[in-house]
Amino acid sequence: MKRIWILCAAVVICWLLSNVASAQQYATINLPAEQVTPERIAERERAAKTLATTRKLEQMSAGEKKNAEIYMQHIVPYLMVRKENLNKIGPMLSSLEKSLNTAQRINNPGKGEFLKHLYVGMSKVAKGNYIPAARINAILVLGRLDYTPYDGTTGRPPVPLAARVGPAFDQLVALYENEQEVDGVRAAALQSLHRTTMYGFPYMQDASKAKLSTLMTQLLESPAPEGRDPKAHAYLQRSAVDILHYLSTPQDTDLGKQLISISTDEEKPDLIALYSAEQIGQMTSQLDGQVADVDGVLKSWTRRAFDTVESELQRLKALDRTRKTAVKQPPSPESFLGLKESKKKKDKARSSAMRGGMGMGMEDMMMSGMEMDMGMEDSMMSGMEMDMGMEDMMMSGMGMMGRMPAAKPQPPEVSLSRRRITKVLQQVLRGAAGTPLAEVPEDPSGLLAGVSDENKKIVQDWINDIKPVADAINDDQLDDQKKWIESLEEQRIVLADLAGVELEDADNDLGDDGMGPLNGGLPVFGLPGAGLPGAGLPDAGLPGAGLPGAGLPDAGLPEAEDGLPGAAPAAGLPGVN
């Protein structure tokens, strides 16, 4: 539910930005002023809650029932389509959905009327020419309306209304396939169809299944339309993969063939290619005869992992260079006036006074405690009569008890990078054997279950080759960015070999920090190819060739802070450090 509301908020923001430029005019719902006063709205809202909570429907008066109907079919749409109420849409709809779920769960007699009124009100907003934010929220509510709620006692999933009621399904399909609609509306309709299919496919009519299969196949095969970002299109295609998987049968091999093609297509974004590879891990017989080149598929998937490691290395090195070249702030003016030093003296005097008042300062207590610990340590060593240090004893004890070294705190850059690479490895491993672990399960799925016996060996060997990479990526002892980058450099080479990528010698020409003249580093003065005028030319005849210090060897000169030699022929020139 939270993810859906976050999606709604993002769509609202995008709509607000686009609406400023388009200046499109949207309709509103007009009601008599005396019908929308705060008092009348509150009265009708209470009637709607009463309809959801009453145990005896006959005890409600005709006026109360009418107020409940007016509130959900007219007042709520009236409030939703006004721009000034954008921040009220979420809480209002959330309250209505909660009331409906409660009524259905405890089987209140008013649940049917409540569901009907809410459906009519949301349909009115979804189909009209109203602000996209209101329509998107209404469509998402339509997709979450259930004919039968989730049963917590038996674990039976809910049955969406659109899976049992044809007009509700047709309305969502019409909103999705209308290419004149804004992408936010179509995406919301697709999201609702996704939920409808996930929970309600056993109850859907054959004609509805066929219609949806056709639409999703077209989405999966089509390129991004004009005006839609390829990554946004790939995100929508993920829903198509899921819907086709829900609707497919074990004998249907078309989807398996299609997912193999998508996952190995170099032009496809990782968002859909890796997702397709992951979904292959849920298939068994659907892959029979659909994988002609197992080695080619695995190399293609490995190339995705290699590219991910490569991009992470570039990002981390760029981040490291940014930190090294950060502009230093000028010293504080107080440092020239002696104020900082006087403040230190005052703080030191105050600290000494506090220690004197306590009788024993914290530092003295710590030192005393350390001496006591040292004495106890000597006593233990003497009693055990063992010729080993305390550190060796601790390590020996950990070994006997089978403990592993505690994980070290990970910098955020390392944690985020590890998470991204691990996700990619898990996706391709799922596609290979149906498990995110780098091992061969007892009951495999994916490629390992759908290829011939002679090709199973290829998949098993590939999993064994990936295992050291996965272990290295998940090594929690890499506690700083430098160690992490060094590990990635090693795994990059391994993945390149598995993917059949030829690494150029130039890839290894950079220094430890990846800096060079072409990567944001400082140029080396006087060296050939440094990019300066006259670089690589002999000194004879050039201005400054005979200056003192020119041509002296650079042995023994200190290195610059960035690791570049500071002993170029420019040493000794005025103003050069």
Side-chain angles (χ1 to χ4, degrees):
M1 179 70 72
K2 291 181 179 179
R3 289 197 298 267
I4 292 175
W5 288 121
I6 292 173
L7 174 63
C8 293
V11 172
V12 168
I13 293 173
C14 294
W15 167 77
L16 289 175
L17 294 176
S18 62
N19 190 42
V20 173
S22 63
Q24 181 176 349
Q25 296 298 319
Y26 296 106
T28 57
I29 296 175
N30 297 317
L31 293 176
E34 64 273 11
Q35 298 296 324
V36 291
T37 61
E39 294 77 16
R40 294 301 301 274
I41 291 177
E43 178 186 2
R44 285 164 173 163
E45 183 179 5
R46 286 193 299 269
K49 291 183 178 179
T50 302
L51 178 63
T53 57
T54 184
R55 293 300 181 94
K56 295 182 179 180
L57 190 60
E58 63 274 8
Q59 292 182 352
M60 286 188 67
S61 65
E64 288 179 315
K65 293 179 181 179
K66 190 62 177 179
N67 281 338
E69 175 185 342
I70 292 174
Y71 179 73
M72 285 183 278
Q73 294 192 20
H74 301 283
I75 299 297
V76 171
Y78 165 83
L79 296 173
M80 288 179 63
V81 301
R82 279 169 163 71
K83 297 179 181 179
E84 61 269 20
N85 294 328
L86 283 176
N87 61 335
K88 300 177 183 178
I89 294 178
M92 180 172 58
L93 296 181
S94 178
S95 177
L96 288 172
E97 288 188 80
K98 184 178 179 180
S99 297
L100 175 60
N101 293 336
T102 302
Q104 290 179 324
R105 188 174 64 253
I106 62 179
N107 200 27
N108 275 358
K111 62 179 183 180
E113 291 294 315
F114 196 101
L115 175 61
K116 181 182 70 173
H117 297 329
L118 186 56
Y119 170 76
V120 172
M122 294 301 101
S123 297
K124 179 187 296 185
V125 177
K127 295 185 296 185
N129 181 31
Y130 305 119
I131 56 176
R135 298 184 63 198
I136 290 168
N137 278 276
I139 294 169
L140 292 175
V141 172
L142 289 174
R144 292 195 297 270
L145 294 180
D146 291 329
Y147 185 87
T148 304
Y150 165 73
D151 189 347
T153 58
T154 62
R156 184 186 63 189
V159 180
L161 181 67
R164 293 293 301 268
V165 179
F169 177 82
D170 294 338
Q171 183 177 9
L172 294 176
V173 170
L175 289 168
Y176 166 73
E177 65 178 346
N178 184 3
E179 297 181 358
Q180 303 303 317
E181 295 283 7
V182 296
D183 270 357
V185 169
R186 299 186 67 192
L190 180 62
Q191 177 72 21
S192 296
L193 290 171
H194 182 279
R195 183 182 184 275
T196 299
T197 312
M198 178 170 59
Y199 294 123
F201 68 92
Y203 308 94
M204 295 171 60
Q205 299 293 326
D206 291 340
S208 299
K209 292 181 180 179
K211 175 67 173 179
L212 200 53
S213 295
T214 301
L215 290 175
M216 295 303 102
T217 301
Q218 292 174 353
L219 173 59
L220 205 54
E221 295 176 348
S222 65
E226 185 178 358
R228 180 185 297 172
D229 186 272
K231 290 184 178 180
H233 188 67
Y235 181 82
L236 298 179
Q237 288 178 320
R238 287 163 41 122
S239 295
V241 170
D242 290 340
I243 292 174
L244 289 173
H245 184 69
Y246 298 142
L247 297 177
S248 64
T249 63
Q251 295 76 28
D252 183 11
T253 59
D254 291 340
L255 181 59
K257 181 179 181 180
Q258 195 171 22
L259 294 184
I260 289 290
S261 175
I262 293 174
S263 67
T264 56
D265 188 348
E266 296 180 358
E267 301 298 324
K268 295 290 185 181
D270 285 350
L271 195 62
I272 182 61
L274 291 172
Y275 190 76
S276 298
E278 186 177 17
Q279 297 308 304
I280 290 172
Q282 301 183 29
M283 299 180 174
T284 52
S285 58
Q286 291 173 310
L287 295 174
D288 290 345
Q290 303 305 314
V291 189
D293 183 9
V294 177
D295 186 60
V297 171
L298 295 174
K299 283 186 176 180
S300 177
W301 293 357
T302 310
R303 178 60 186 261
R304 297 275 179 180
F306 167 80
D307 290 340
T308 303
V309 171
E310 188 88 336
S311 66
E312 282 300 300
L313 278 171
Q314 295 176 1
R315 184 182 67 83
L316 291 171
K317 289 180 179 180
L319 180 63
D320 192 50
R321 289 197 297 271
T322 302
R323 288 176 175 174
K324 287 186 177 182
T325 58
V327 179
K328 295 182 178 180
Q329 296 295 328
S332 173
E334 294 180 354
S335 62
F336 298 101
L337 301 176
L339 298 178
K340 190 174 182 180
E341 186 65 26
S342 62
K343 185 178 184 299
K344 286 184 178 180
K345 291 180 180 179
K346 291 180 181 179
D347 292 342
K348 184 176 181 181
R350 187 182 299 110
S351 177
S352 300
M354 292 177 64
R355 286 200 303 269
M358 294 174 60
M360 176 181 289
M362 185 63 68
E363 296 179 2
D364 298 332
M365 293 173 63
M366 293 175 62
M367 291 301 296
S368 176
M370 290 173 62
E371 293 175 359
M372 292 174 63
D373 291 341
M374 291 174 64
M376 185 176 294
E377 186 176 310
D378 294 338
S379 176
M380 293 174 62
M381 295 285 288
S382 175
M384 295 178 68
E385 297 182 354
M386 297 176 64
D387 187 18
M388 63 170 60
M390 183 59 68
E391 182 177 352
D392 295 334
M393 289 169 56
M394 293 174 63
M395 293 301 295
S396 176
M398 291 174 63
M400 290 185 292
M401 296 173 64
R403 292 183 181 178
M404 296 297 292
K408 297 183 179 181
Q410 306 289 303
E413 297 85 356
V414 174
S415 297
L416 293 174
S417 181
R418 175 183 284 113
R419 184 177 303 176
R420 181 190 175 197
I421 298 172
T422 300
K423 175 62 176 177
V424 173
L425 291 177
Q426 288 178 342
Q427 288 178 303
V428 296
L429 286 169
R430 283 184 188 275
T435 173
L437 305 178
E439 59 186 28
V440 179
E442 295 182 359
D443 188 18
S445 55
L447 289 183
L448 201 55
V451 298
S452 62
D453 292 338
E454 59 185 51
N455 285 328
K456 291 184 187 296
K457 181 69 166 53
I458 298 177
V459 181
Q460 292 173 347
D461 291 344
W462 179 83
I463 294 175
N464 294 332
D465 291 335
I466 289 292
K467 180 175 176 54
V469 178
D471 292 340
I473 294 298
N474 289 280
D475 183 2
D476 54 16
Q477 298 300 307
L478 302 175
D479 57 338
D480 60 46
Q481 186 170 319
K482 182 179 179 182
K483 294 179 183 178
W484 175 246
I485 290 178
E486 291 175 352
S487 177
L488 290 187
E489 291 283 8
E490 296 175 359
Q491 306 318 313
R492 169 181 175 270
I493 297 175
V494 175
L495 291 173
D497 182 60
L498 294 175
V501 178
E502 295 184 4
L503 297 178
E504 299 179 359
D505 295 338
D507 294 340
N508 300 321
D509 290 343
L510 300 179
D512 293 339
D513 58 359
M515 297 181 67
L518 299 180
N519 288 285
L522 299 177
V524 182
F525 295 103
L527 294 180
L532 298 177
L537 296 178
D539 289 341
L542 293 178
L547 292 177
L552 293 179
D554 58 4
L557 290 179
E559 292 186 351
E561 293 182 357
D562 57 2
L564 298 175
L573 291 178
V576 179
N577 294 326

